[in-house]
Amino acid sequence: MGPAPAPPPPAVARFPVRPPLWPRAALRRRRRLRPVCPLGPKVEQPGGPLLCPPLPRLPPGESPLDSSAVVMGSPEGRFHFAIDRGGTFTDVFAQCPGGHVRVLKLLSEDPANYADAPTEGIRRILEQERGVVLPRDQPLDTSCIASIRMGTTVATNALLERRGERVALLVTRGFRDLLHVGTQAREDLFDLAVPMPEVLYEEVLEVDERVVLHRGEPGTRTPVRGCTGDLLEVQQPVDLGGLRGKLQGLLSRGIHSLAVVLMHSYTWAQHEQQVGALAQELGFTHVSLSSETMPMARIVPRGHTACADAYLTPAIQRYVQGFRRGFQGQLKDVQVLFMRSDGGLAPVDSFSGSRAVLSGPAGGVVGYSATTYRAEGSQPVIGFDMGGTSTDVSRYAGELEHVFEASTAGVTLQAPQLDINTVAAGGGSRLFFRSGLFVVGPESAGAHPGPACYRKGGPLTVTDANLVLGRLLPASFPCIFGPGEDQPLSPEASRKALEVVATEVNSFLTSGPCLASPLSLEEVAMGFVRVANEAMCRPIRALTQARGHDPSAHVLACFGGAGGQHACAIARALGMDTVHIHRHSGLLSALGLALADVVHEAQEPCSLLYAPETFVQLDRRLTHLEEQCLDALQAQGFPRSQISTEGFLHLRYQGTDCALMVSAQQHPATTCSPRAGDFGAAFVERYMREFGFVIPQRPVVVDDVRVRGIGCSGLHLEDVPRAQTGPPRVDKVTQCYFERGYQETPVYLLGELGCGHKLQGPCLIIDSNSTILVEPGCQAEVTETGDIRISVGPETPSIVDAQLDPVHLSIFSHRFMSIAEQMGRILQRTAISTNIKERLDFSCALFGPDGGLVSNAPHIPVHLGAMQETVQFQIQHLGADLHPGDVLLSNHPSAGGSHLPDLTVITPVFWPGQTRPVFYVASRGHHADIGGITPGSMPPHSTSLQQEGAVFLSFKLVQGGVFQEEALTEALRAPGKIPGCSGTRNLHDNLSDLRAQVAANQKGIQLVGELIGQYGLDVVQAYMGHIQANAELAVRDMLRAFGTSRQVRGLPLEVAAEDHMDDGSPIQLRVQINLSQGSAVFDFSGTGPEVFGNLNAPRAITLSALIYCLRCLVGQDIPLNQGCLAPVRIVIPRGSILDPSPEAAVVGGNVLTSQRVVDVILRAFEACAASQGCMNNVTLGNAHMGYYETVAGGAGAGPGWHGRSGVHTHMTNTRITDPEILESRYPVILRRFELRPGSGGRGRFRGGDGVIRELLFREEALLSVLTERRAFRPYGLHGGEPGACGLNLLIRRDGRMVNLGGKTSVPVFPGDVLRLHTPGGGGYGDPEDPAPPRRWARPPAAFPERGSVSEYRRAQEAV
């Protein structure tokens, strides 16, 4: 860097700019040389204190901080510290006596120099401020310290790395494997190994106890009342005598931490309390009761939360104890507060593991919400925190946005936590060129070896691309790289790594299927940066649009080491016009801790209706919880004047699962509301905003009552930086590469800029911890508070033609997927039925002018490729009878349908000057009922299509812009004319959901229209073809690799496989590989004929199964579209079970035969052993209720992995209803839900076990089962043994046991029990050649996503 002018007093130390991840050893050496204050220009000050600018003078009598002892401030002449202990670095923000601020950054782990980073940071600042030497081996004097606030990743890292306490789980008998099975959905749809994180507990003890909800059956025990108001029966008291010896055994084996999770303890906690008291009496050091950790219904997430608490809290306590030992008196007279996941501070004694997972990132959200939001005139803000491994995205619009259930590292936590969405894209994200597509992440280079420019042989990353483009300046980095960690950053290493990938790109362009001109090195780097930006835009769009907000109406608040290089481009892509970068952006999380308030929350479950007759009870509960919060905060020293409280009710419409936590803060009480406020009006307003409709006649249920108490204690920063003293000084001029080539780019030092300075882009602003890129057409300005505000100008249109460009191919891939995703958001928001709104059983898709699939979201396996058949049928069937304003409806199997409840709505899109549709959009949703012989339209014993519900071959749902409600109603009621059948049983939901599907299609039309407006029709249609060709290329590469591997081993290029349905119907397949073309023929000749029952699978089902298998075999993320099937020719005999007659029953083919098709294809390719091959469909119903579930089984083993136990596989991924919700809404008791030991096939790699599930019925009802693999066992492979068959048993009340067979309907009566044994997976390899034990660990190269956007995607794929 160039020389810096003398700064104004007090002196400010300059901290060199760092890349996203720094090698540790070099930083250790660096910190031995001198303490560092990471702000301002570099200044040498031997022996002198290193200070940061003081806070401004305020009017007389006004302190910059509150005078209370608990307020972050220094009126009493003591220090206040706010410390963010991250995974790599620890940031310290200190308010010193006199009001000035000092900041410091140091390594979180540096055992050669200090034992604890926060303690060391405090020591250094005290040493510098007081001018005395404080030995590291002596506890620090605390007389000058008023408070310490800390955010820490200790809990997060322990969870990610599985380094927590040894824990045992105590759970109600019959549920020992409940948390292993969880929701039964798998994380990655297309990974045949089904990688899943292991549970946190080491052992399980089943507790003999049982509480059930009271339903008033004759002869039952006297009920007790739970805290929700529900009546319950204690069927079995806790057997404490039998439990005592088992607990003593745990202690003898060295387990001292317990998680206690008993059924319905959220409302009846006495049993958990008795177990907890016994455990504490015996000497367990930590006991987490689920009823105390988070008293909310749903035992699975509550159980995971209790386990996380038991697993993490001891680790946190050990850390806190070690931290305290570094101070005299162990911080007895110092206020120590920790940041919780909900964005509030809590006393150290109440800081628990389950509330600590987002402790670090939460500080950043609080930081920008308290600064940027106010500075930008209360305009909504998107937080964009881009680090080395991942990027955190969040939103603030006047109040912190919370979620109450989210997963981190595979563990679902049921606790208030900020909605921070983490995506696997950061400065260290790796760059690949795969099958013609630019790919960014999710793999990361990590801190070691780091990016290629670190000189340690690391891979090509986003940081390297930015370095090649001149957007990072090597001279700004210290010499800490290379094997000896004494070398400068290496642009040459970045260029060399990029040249390898550029060679692949240009080889593809000059010799691939679409010839094009080669790209320069800079064009390749720029392409990767643009693809990375688009990848980060998708979650921001999803986060805002999910709640009905426009992303362009937000300000982008950028912080984190790598975000400044991408902020302008991302804001531009999202239509935002402002980027705000706080002057302390490099340590915004630490600043957020200083600005945060102390929070105490109280919550209890509830089951009251929100109605006038319950308002008094709700007010009483809110008052009780408010008193708890007041008492807790006053006990911490807060006067009542500094405490505010806010009440919340967790409300939902009766019969739905979509609950909203609402506050009445903006809705004062009325005569028709509780005294605490009009929660009903708040609920209706938010429901309308998020979902676009309300259900006025539906009762509203209160699930939980919550009060958030806030003790105001944060720092109020009002400091004003120095005013400008002339034009900004240009430190140097460099060359940066942009869309139109290299441009001269001035470089400024942020520490030298003053209020009012304006900088035209392009330019670089060097911050203490990052580089800010102001792109051409943008202008940066230094605000009155010293922050950087960038005004983002419109993007200069780039010239894109129809010729293939791999950069634009990657961008269009993201844009096409984003269109399908946004269509899905509209459908989910505006639909009314549980199936679509909450179970998310739908798909939305975009199609080319020939009806070929371009993009499909979400990836529901049984929908993959099937909608393409539907669209192409309509094109052929209607011909010229397609006009603007027409919308089509179809569900017929011969028209590309899967089964009748899946209704597909198709909209042809016309463009000015074109006579035929230029593309199509479609949405397919599962409707809960469309008539037929049984409720739910999925009869187990149907023999013709008419018995399964209303049929639509090609129906104009909208004609000439008019919704055809009358004709539609008549068609939906038509099945009632058939003897034994009924018309639709829920016409209102059918009509509402179909309107929602039309609206989703309209959104797709709008978005593609915008794309055409930007690029032109010919370009958009060309890239629809290019993206299909890309998928085709990936499949051809896979087929060539498979054929080559067989050829090398002297094996033929033809493979074959056969399996059977339980009725003996064969599914036969021969695959002939053409090695030169990378193509194959999939010939199902020899497959059995159409059957009398409903196992017939429409042709579209086989295509979906084939696309699913091809994607699994490719083994990497590729666009799933028509191109996947281009290299294959499919032969399916007409009249067979896989291509039945138009009137054949098909409901079983969709859910059962599809699984067998997958088994046969994977067997032919020898990919893995068979999985359970069944969805285990169970339906229960009577005149006033209906329930449907599918049940998990065992996954097949494969080369290098054991099969997963208790999980859904292949063509289904449905989540199962939580046991407590099941028992509260339906007349059943779940007696057992556990793994079925030994049901997985033996092998070198063993197959996964199935499950045992027992339902006891409390009312007379009709039970239907539709299952497979009850006769033919799931095959093993390469010497592995087959998995066990399934078994359906009905145990009558008198003890008589009956084998129901695979498919039947039978009346059941109170006291009867269904015992379901699901199949296991097949084994792989010789059982006598045992495999080494597999241990789960988070892959270091990938980062797990989290937040509401990730949860939504996972929920969509769990269908």
Side-chain angles (χ1 to χ4, degrees), residues 900 929-950 975-976 978-985 1094 1145 1147 1262 1264 1305:
L900 296 186
D929 193 288
I930 56 164
I933 57 176
T934 61
S937 306
M938 292 190 64
H941 50 277
S942 56
T943 57
S944 69
L945 190 66
Q946 287 75 17
Q947 294 176 334
E948 297 177 357
I978 301 171
C981 292
S982 167
T984 180
R985 299 166 180 87
N1094 58 26
V1147 67
L1262 181 68
S1264 299
S1305 290

Side-chain angles (χ1 to χ4, degrees), residues 1126-1202:
V1128 303
R1129 184 166 67 89
I1130 305 160
V1131 178
I1132 303 175
R1134 297 290 296 272
S1136 71
I1137 193 174
L1138 300 184
D1139 191 2
S1141 63
E1143 300 308 314
V1146 297
V1147 67
N1150 183 63
V1151 296
L1152 296 177
T1153 310
S1154 61
Q1155 297 279 32
R1156 195 68 70 257
V1157 174
V1158 171
D1159 286 341
V1160 170
I1161 295 172
L1162 295 179
R1163 188 175 200 172
F1165 282 83
E1166 300 181 348
C1168 63
S1171 295
Q1172 68 158 337
C1174 179
M1175 298 186 191
N1176 301 299
N1177 303 270
V1178 177
T1179 306
L1180 183 71
N1182 56 27
H1184 59 270
M1185 71 89 191
Y1187 174 68
Y1188 169 71
E1189 70 180 19
T1190 63
V1191 185
W1201 73 82
H1202 299 296

Side-chain angles (χ1 to χ4, degrees), residues 93 249 263 283 302 652 696 819 835 857 893 1027 1052 1097 1130 1149 1228 1278 1289:
F93 185 99
M263 280 287 286
R302 193 176 74 248
R652 62 180 171 84
I819 288 169
N835 265 4
I1027 205 70
I1130 305 160
V1228 297
H1278 294 302
L1289 298 174

Side-chain angles (χ1 to χ4, degrees), residues 309 360 373 462 474 596 605 793 840 989 1018 1357:
D309 197 72
Y373 180 72
V462 173
L840 308 179
D989 282 11
D1018 58 334
E1357 294 182 350

Side-chain angles (χ1 to χ4, degrees), residues 840-857:
L840 308 179
D841 192 350
F842 65 82
S843 284
C844 296
L846 172 67
F847 303 85
D850 62 348
L853 178 65
V854 176
S855 63
N856 190 135

Side-chain angles (χ1 to χ4, degrees), residues 165-228:
E165 189 78 354
R166 295 179 65 193
V167 174
L169 169 66
L170 275 63
V171 69
T172 302
R173 181 166 296 282
F175 297 93
R176 67 169 185 259
D177 301 305
L178 182 65
L179 300 187
H180 172 96
V181 176
T183 66
Q184 76 183 9
R186 61 194 187 277
E187 295 284 329
D188 187 335
L189 280 177
F190 304 109
D191 192 332
L192 296 174
V194 195
M196 300 280 278
E198 297 299 335
V199 292
L200 300 179
Y201 52 84
E202 188 174 317
E203 292 193 36
V204 181
L205 292 183
E206 294 186 271
V207 180
D208 290 307
E209 67 84 38
R210 193 61 159 99
V211 173
V212 300
L213 292 167
H214 178 69
R215 288 187 177 268
E217 297 102 327
T220 56
R221 294 175 173 82
T222 302
V224 296
R225 188 171 296 277
C227 67
T228 59

